Amino acid sequence: MSTTSPAPAETPLAAAHADLGASFTDFAGWSMPVRYASDLAEHAAVRSTAGLFDLSHMGEVRVSGPEAGRALDAALVGRPSTMAVGRAAYGMVVDHDGGIVDDLVTYRLGEEEFLVVANAANVEPVVVALADRARPFDAVVADETARWGLVAVQGPASVAIVTPLLDPASGVDLATLRYYRSVTAVLAGVEVLLARTGYTGEDGFEVFVPVERTREVWDALLDATRAHGGVPAGLACRDTLRLEAGMPLYGHELSRDVDPFAAGLGRVVVLDKEPGTVGLEALQRLAAQPPARVLVGLRGEGRRAPRAGYAVVAGGQPVGEVTSGALSPTLGHPVAMAHVDAALAEPGTRLGVDVRGTELPVEVVTLPFYRRER
């Protein structure tokens, strides 16, 4: 008996992408624009001017109530209860053995209100984990993914693009809105949550919009982006942009088989937390012992790029695995991230990547590969 997979969900901007001639791909159960015209042109636009992305496939989970902060302290690896209102923080949900269930960003919207943004493929496990871990606290966990559209403008021209669309009466000053901060604003006549965050290595904003008004905000931002020489941008260039910026992707660099320390993300883990926090004992043990393998950057030669799943070798023996790789459009040479034996993780170490029996030379380098000028 044959079975058919359910059709991928569509974002509120599906018609807009079709009108723009986008090519679509099924990503985490969503029909998403992978490109509009050229991956390279879209990548270059984000680095030089700006690109406009549809991120409405991401998950939004509201945690509210008198003990919402304490509930998130128990649910995540950080300590959201100490965040000031308007701040955002990168963090993770881990399981009992310290494996990463998802990496996410938490926004503090008020004294008793937080918004947790999860990866599209992990919304359900994140909601389940948050609800379960919040149960002992006076807090409510609500999956609001269906209520929100999410649009991101990224690139050096982002401030110039967004500023004219802001209602002056809302009092939002982008000159004082620092990185990893958010504010309620009226943009293109729509009340939104405006966050100075992103996943490209460039300055920019992520705009959370009521789902029924996403098209209005998209159209206004697209006109402004084009006026500054920017373009709509798809998932393909988003992947090469985040790779150049050394930003991990769940399902590649991060998974339940990887803990925060092996991923080089120990800086976001708080270890002096209340006993009973899920994964705390495992994280304390992991912090006390060097990981067997760690995440590193690899720089290649020529034009042939290592790809996810390729073996990293030393002396003909496997010593790791590539998690993401591409020919860097900005830098002009191959780059990759890989988990390799900790003893071989020192920058400058020469290794190889096995590409169908051919060994490509690579060098371990410090992440990120690309860092924008401040």
Side-chain angles (χ1 to χ4, degrees):
M1 184 175 66
S2 62
T3 59
T4 57
S5 300
E10 293 186 337
T11 80
L13 297 173
H17 302 318
D19 291 344
L20 292 166
S23 299
F24 291 88
T25 188
D26 185 345
F27 181 80
W30 290 83
S31 178
M32 296 296 297
V34 66
R35 69 182 59 81
Y36 297 87
S38 161
D39 302 354
L40 294 179
E42 292 165 24
H43 182 112
V46 175
R47 291 279 181 249
S48 61
T49 53
L52 184 64
F53 297 86
D54 178 11
L55 307 181
S56 301
H57 61 308
M58 302 291 282
E60 289 84 20
V61 186
R62 190 177 298 269
V63 183
S64 57
E67 294 185 312
R70 290 186 60 203
L72 285 173
D73 288 352
L76 308 180
V77 299
R79 188 172 277 139
S81 66
T82 63
M83 293 166 54
V85 174
R87 293 291 298 266
Y90 177 77
M92 284 163 278
V93 177
V94 298
D95 57 23
H96 288 275
D97 66 2
I100 300 171
V101 175
D102 196 25
D103 67 324
L104 37 77
V105 176
T106 301
Y107 298 87
R108 186 162 202 168
L109 306 182
E111 290 298 331
E112 298 184 356
E113 191 170 18
F114 297 79
L115 188 69
V116 178
V117 180
N119 285 296
N122 293 329
V123 175
E124 183 177 354
V126 166
V127 171
V128 169
L130 293 183
D132 181 64
R133 299 173 195 190
R135 192 167 290 115
F137 302 94
D138 187 3
V140 176
V141 176
D143 181 1
E144 296 191 349
T145 302
R147 291 182 55 188
W148 294 99
L150 178 55
V151 177
V153 56
Q154 299 280 296
S158 295
V159 171
I161 289 166
V162 171
T163 299
L165 299 177
L166 291 172
D167 184 343
S170 63
V172 175
D173 181 5
L174 297 186
T176 60
L177 185 66
R178 298 172 60 192
Y179 191 52
Y180 263 64
R181 306 291 199 277
S182 69
V183 64
T184 299
V186 176
L187 189 150
V190 181
E191 185 172 296
V192 303
L193 177 67
L194 180 68
R196 200 161 198 165
T197 49
Y199 191 55
T200 63
E202 297 296 337
D203 189 17
F205 303 93
E206 295 181 321
V207 187
F208 297 83
V209 191
V211 68
E212 69 275 6
R213 304 199 68 179
T214 308
R215 181 67 187 262
E216 296 173 56
V217 171
W218 169 271
D219 287 345
L221 283 170
L222 181 59
D223 288 345
T225 298
R226 284 173 158 169
H228 285 81
V231 298
L235 291 185
C237 82
R238 183 171 156 87
D239 191 50
T240 50
L241 289 160
R242 69 90 193 169
L243 173 57
E244 289 182 344
M247 295 178 170
L249 175 64
Y250 198 90
H252 288 252
E253 288 70 42
L254 310 178
S255 71
R256 289 180 184 257
D257 296 324
V258 177
D259 66 75
F261 302 99
L265 297 172
R267 65 186 182 277
V268 304
V269 178
V270 176
L271 295 172
D272 58 336
K273 299 174 75 170
E274 293 184 16
T277 301
V278 174
L280 179 60
E281 292 184 5
L283 292 172
Q284 290 170 336
R285 289 195 303 271
L286 290 164
Q289 60 188 39
R293 284 188 171 177
V294 295
L295 186 68
V296 301
L298 300 176
R299 172 177 175 153
E301 302 173 359
R303 308 289 292 177
R304 198 172 182 186
R307 300 293 181 181
Y310 288 2
V312 181
V313 297
Q317 298 300 310
V319 296
E321 184 176 297
V322 173
T323 54
S324 298
L327 180 63
S328 166
T330 304
L331 305 175
H333 59 71
V335 297
M337 288 193 279
H339 290 292
V340 303
D341 292 351
L344 299 171
E346 186 70 22
T349 302
R350 304 290 297 182
L351 300 171
V353 173
D354 185 351
V355 182
R356 301 184 185 89
T358 300
E359 186 174 318
L360 300 181
V362 294
E363 178 182 345
V364 177
V365 296
T366 302
L367 292 169
F369 304 104
Y370 165 86
R371 195 186 300 274
R372 70 182 174 91
E373 295 182 8
R374 302 288 174 176

